């Protein structure tokens, strides 16, 4: 929360808080807003279509975690064409290419997270959603993953070092 709070504080210096909203999937907390930015809670969503609709309705996905390994949140968001802003941590680095399909901030720097949000929300990034979706398809498409696994298995069976 401390990173989200500091990020929103910095972001609201450039954007009117009433023009922003934070969407949180999952359990509702005690907060209805952060620094004047309304929070919308969806509750837990179990249906894939509902989850995809929420991601697709958002302009950006903020992932302020300092530790995670290939988070599904980022995979799902990018698959819906929604760019992500996250800390530059292992696992996330394999999914987000800085200022190509998202934004990577130095770990623990909420001001840089806010700069990432501003970058995504700027009007000169109109083609970003397509770039994000294309990269997600290349990285996470099941057919692509299956081909990679088959190539690894073929190398193992052929006695090649993996």
């Amino acid at each position: 929360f401390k990173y989200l709070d500091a990020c929103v504080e910095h972001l609201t210096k450039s954007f009117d808080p009433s023009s922003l909203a934070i969407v949180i999937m999952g359990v509702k907390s005690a907060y209805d807003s952060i620094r004047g930015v309304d929070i919308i809670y969806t509750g837990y969503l179990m249906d894939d279509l509902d989850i995809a609709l929420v991601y697709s309705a958002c302009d950006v996905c903020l992932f302020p975690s300092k530790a995670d390994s290939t988070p599904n949140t980022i995979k799902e968001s990018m698959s819906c064409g929604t760019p992500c802003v996250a800390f530059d941590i292992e696992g996330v680095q394999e999914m987000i290419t800085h200022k190509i399909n998202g934004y990577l901030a130095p770990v623990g720097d909420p001001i840089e997270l806010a700069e990432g949000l501003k970058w995504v929300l700027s009007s000169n990034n109109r083609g970003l959603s397509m770039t994000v979706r294309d990269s997600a398809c290349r990285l996470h498409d099941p057919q692509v993953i299956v081909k990679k696994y088959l190539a690894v298995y073929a190398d193992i069976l052929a006695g090649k070092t993996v």
Side-chain angles (χ1 to χ4, degrees):
F1 178 80
K2 71 178 184 175
Y3 297 114
L4 176 62
D5 182 54
C7 174
V8 170
E9 178 183 23
H10 185 73
L11 187 65
T12 56
K13 292 176 183 175
S14 299
F15 290 89
D16 176 4
S18 68
S19 71
L20 303 169
I22 298 169
V23 176
I24 297 179
M25 289 188 266
V27 68
K28 183 175 179 7
S29 77
Y31 298 97
D32 291 326
S33 68
I34 298 174
R35 305 206 177 262
V37 178
D38 288 337
I39 299 176
I40 300 165
Y41 293 96
T42 66
Y44 286 102
L45 301 174
M46 301 300 182
D47 183 74
D48 290 344
L49 180 59
D50 289 341
I51 294 168
L53 288 171
V54 170
Y55 281 120
S56 296
C58 295
D59 294 316
V60 61
C61 175
L62 177 65
F63 190 78
S65 178
K66 288 184 9 179
D68 208 320
S69 176
T70 320
N72 283 336
T73 299
I74 292 178
K75 287 180 187 179
E76 292 167 352
S77 178
M78 291 178 69
S79 294
C80 294
T82 304
C84 297
V85 174
F87 286 132
D88 190 2
I89 58 174
E90 233 175 283
V92 173
Q93 298 164 339
E94 287 81 38
M95 295 183 281
I96 298 173
T97 304
H98 185 62
K99 288 190 170 182
I100 302 294
N101 65 354
Y103 194 98
L104 294 172
V107 177
D109 187 345
I111 304 304
E112 197 59 32
L113 282 178
E115 289 300 316
L117 291 173
K118 289 188 330 190
W119 179 79
V120 171
L121 295 171
S122 69
S123 61
N124 60 350
N125 290 314
R126 294 179 197 264
L128 184 58
S129 181
M130 291 299 291
T131 301
V132 170
R133 173 80 176 130
D134 290 345
S135 65
C137 288
R138 281 193 315 275
L139 290 171
H140 309 297
D141 184 278
Q143 293 177 347
V144 172
I145 301 298
V146 167
K147 286 179 185 177
K148 288 180 180 181
Y149 274 112
L150 290 173
V152 169
Y153 293 144
D155 286 347
I156 292 169
L157 292 173
K160 295 180 184 176
T161 305
V162 180

